[in-house]
Amino acid sequence: MSGRLAYLLKHATMRLHALTDAALAPLGLDGREMGVLLVLANGEPTSQQEAAQRLGIDRTTMVALLDALAHKGFISRRPSPEDRRRNVVALTEEGHTAVARAVKAADEAEHEFLGNLPPDAAHHLRAALRTVVLREP
Amino acid sequence: MSGRLAYLLKHATMRLHALTDAALAPLGLDGREMGVLLVLANGEPTSQQEAAQRLGIDRTTMVALLDALAHKGFISRRPSPEDRRRNVVALTEEGHTAVARAVKAADEAEHEFLGNLPPDAAHHLRAALRTVVLREP
DNA sequence: TATTGTTATACTCTATAACTATA
DNA sequence: TATAGTTATAGAGTATAACAATA
C-alpha cells in the first residue's frame, strides 16, 4: 500500500501540513489562515464570497476564518460602497507584516520537507504538481 | 496562493482521491477500504491493531472499517488461537477478487490523474514523493 | 425574486476515554 | 496489571438550509 500514489500524496500533504503549522504557530497563524492572507495580499477581493471561491472553500467556512483573522487584527471588513450586501476584506498593517513573516516561515517548512531531494528534483516535483492540479498541458 | 507547494499537494490529493473513489464506487469500495484490503493482501496481520498500525490509523477507526468490509463479505475475523484477545483478519475469496479489481480500477484513476504528464515526469513524481514521504536519501 | 453575510445544524473523519474479555 | 477489541463521546473541518439585509 505504501507505494500507491494516493498514499504517497496523502502522507506528503500531511507531513508538509504539520511542518507548516509548526512553523506558523509562533505567528499565531495556521496554514489555512495564511492561505486567506495570501489571497487578500494578491488583490483585494470584492466580497467574502469571491475570496472563498479563490480558495475553493465555502462562503460559510470563510466567515469563521475571517472572524478569527479580524480578531487577531490582521484583516478588516467594511461594506462595499457600491453594493452594501458585500464585505470588502482588506489586510491591515499588521496583516501585511504577518503575511510576509508567514511566507518566510512556510518557505523554511517547505525547505525542510524537501530536504532529501536534490534541487532539480524538487523543481520537477513542483512543476509536475502544477501540471496535474492546474491541468496545464 | 495557488503556487504554494502545500496548496498543490492538497489539491492533487483531493483530485486523485475523487478519481479513485469514483473508480472504486462500482465495486462497493472507497480508497480507505481498498487500503485495508491491500494491507491484508500483503500478509495476514496477527491482530487488528497491527493492521491499523501498518495503515497509520487508530485501532478504534479500524473497527468500523472492518465492520463494513465484513458486512460486504470481503474479510473475516476470528480470534487468534494463541491469544484469544486478538482477531486474525483475513481476506475472503470475494475479498481477493475485490482487491484485484480495485487495484485495476485505482490504476486507471491514477492514469487519468497523471494524464497531462509525460511518462518520465510521472515516474519522477512518484520517486520524489517516495523520497520525501518514506525519508529515503 | 436573487444575492451576501450569517447562523444553526448536520455530516465525515478521526482520536481519546472507558468498558469487556482475555492474558 | 496490562493488552485487544469495542463502544461512547468529542473534536476538527466541512457543507447544507434557513434567515436578515440589501439589491
Side-chain angles (χ1 to χ4, degrees):
Chain A
M1 177 59 192
S2 32
R4 287 218 70 92
L5 190 56
Y7 176 93
L8 293 170
L9 276 173
K10 179 180 174 184
H11 285 256
T13 302
M14 286 168 56
R15 175 145 191 266
L16 180 55
H17 185 264
L19 289 170
T20 302
D21 276 3
L24 293 177
L27 305 173
L29 289 173
D30 62 24
R32 270 160 66 239
E33 293 173 330
M34 185 186 80
V36 176
L37 295 183
L38 276 175
V39 162
L40 300 179
N42 289 352
E44 195 166 276
T46 63
S47 69
Q48 293 184 189
Q49 192 154 197
E50 189 200 327
Q53 282 163 354
R54 287 196 213 163
L55 280 165
I57 63 177
D58 195 83
R59 67 191 166 126
T60 62
T61 305
M62 180 60 77
V63 173
L65 229 34
L66 292 178
D67 283 349
L69 289 170
H71 186 258
K72 292 170 189 168
F74 293 151
I75 62 127
S76 66
R77 284 190 271 203
R78 58 179 172 78
S80 162
E82 293 120 35
D83 182 344
R84 289 165 45 69
R85 292 172 302 182
R86 297 166 180 260
N87 273 346
V88 176
V89 187
L91 289 179
T92 62
E93 204 60 43
E94 293 96 329
H96 276 105
T97 305
V99 75
R101 286 184 186 149
V103 166
K104 205 173 159 190
D107 283 348
E108 285 165 14
E110 278 190 20
H111 187 261
E112 183 179 353
F113 172 75
L114 295 168
N116 285 348
L117 278 186
D120 67 321
H123 182 265
H124 289 334
L125 172 63
R126 217 182 280 269
L129 290 173
R130 244 192 298 267
T131 302
V132 296
V133 170
L134 309 176
R135 311 293 222 328
E136 295 167 352
Chain B
M1 178 57 194
S2 30
R4 287 220 69 92
L5 189 56
Y7 175 93
L8 293 171
L9 277 172
K10 180 180 174 184
H11 285 257
T13 303
M14 287 167 54
R15 175 145 190 266
L16 180 54
H17 185 264
L19 290 170
T20 302
D21 277 3
L24 294 178
L27 304 174
L29 289 172
D30 62 24
R32 270 159 68 240
E33 292 173 331
M34 183 185 82
V36 176
L37 295 184
L38 275 174
V39 161
L40 300 180
N42 289 352
E44 196 166 274
T46 62
S47 69
Q48 296 185 185
Q49 192 152 197
E50 190 200 326
Q53 282 163 354
R54 288 198 213 162
L55 280 165
I57 64 177
D58 195 82
R59 65 189 169 129
T60 62
T61 304
M62 180 60 77
V63 174
L65 229 34
L66 293 180
D67 284 348
L69 289 171
H71 185 259
K72 293 170 190 168
F74 293 151
I75 62 127
S76 67
R77 288 189 269 202
R78 58 180 173 78
S80 163
E82 292 120 36
D83 181 346
R84 293 167 39 73
R85 294 172 301 182
R86 299 168 180 255
N87 273 348
V88 177
V89 187
L91 289 180
T92 61
E93 205 58 45
E94 293 95 330
H96 277 105
T97 306
V99 74
R101 288 184 186 151
V103 166
K104 205 174 159 192
D107 283 348
E108 285 165 14
E110 278 190 19
H111 187 261
E112 183 179 353
F113 172 76
L114 295 168
N116 285 347
L117 278 185
D120 67 321
H123 182 264
H124 289 334
L125 172 62
R126 217 181 279 269
L129 288 173
R130 245 193 297 268
T131 302
V132 297
V133 169
L134 308 176
R135 310 293 221 332
E136 296 166 352

